Amino acid sequence: QAQVAESGGGSAQAGGSLTLSCVVSEHSASTSCTGWFRQVPGKERELVALMDYDGRIEYGDSVKGRFAISRNTARNTTKRIVTLQMNSLKPEDTAKYYCAAGHPSNCYGGYCGGQVCYNRLSYWGTGTAVTISS
């Protein structure tokens, strides 16, 4: 059972930058899809950035051109480290940000079996809060 832990949340001014980090305790096929998501109270979970085993990346429309996901590619490692660089921050980026990992078959923003594919990712962190002030 892989574990996921986020860090790096906090507060920033609009126009500023923050970097979030995520450590996935297992480096295997079952964690080869990794992504960042966010949620505000009363709203559905939103895709921020998703990276598949082959490096394919999918960004949410609201963060395209401002956020960038990256992942460590070191060999012989037992962990995955996934980073989200957030630039040109806006007050509407305020949310709780979650990191997740899972199988590549769920590494899409489309629908799988009646639900959004990425919601089927197996391993989720507890989230880190980001607050952007104007």
Side-chain angles (χ1 to χ4, degrees):
Q1 186 86 354
Q3 295 184 337
V4 178
E6 307 96 338
S7 62
S11 300
Q13 295 273 344
S17 299
L18 281 174
T19 303
L20 304 184
S21 293
C22 168
V23 177
V24 181
S25 64
E26 184 178 307
H27 192 286
S28 68
S30 65
T31 64
S32 55
C33 170
T34 53
W36 286 95
F37 307 85
R38 65 188 185 187
Q39 192 168 22
V40 297
K43 292 193 175 182
E44 291 189 355
R45 181 185 294 156
E46 176 186 13
L47 168 66
V48 176
L50 202 57
M51 178 180 277
D52 208 342
Y53 73 99
D54 58 359
R56 177 186 63 85
I57 294 175
E58 185 174 344
Y59 288 104
D61 289 342
S62 62
V63 306
K64 285 179 181 176
R66 300 188 298 122
F67 291 12
I69 187 172
S70 60
R71 189 168 63 197
N72 67 317
T73 57
R75 295 183 179 181
N76 300 319
T77 177
T78 59
K79 297 181 180 180
R80 297 190 187 275
I81 300 174
V82 188
T83 301
L84 182 69
Q85 178 64 44
M86 306 188 295
N87 298 323
S88 301
L89 287 162
K90 303 176 181 180
E92 51 263 44
D93 294 320
T94 296
K96 195 163 189 180
Y97 285 70
Y98 297 87
C99 180
H103 195 271
S105 61
N106 296 316
C107 213
Y108 299 93
Y111 281 84
C112 299
Q115 63 176 298
V116 179
C117 298
Y118 56 72
N119 282 335
R120 292 158 53 124
L121 292 173
S122 299
Y123 308 108
W124 290 82
T126 57
T128 185
V130 170
T131 303
I132 308 302
S133 57
S134 57

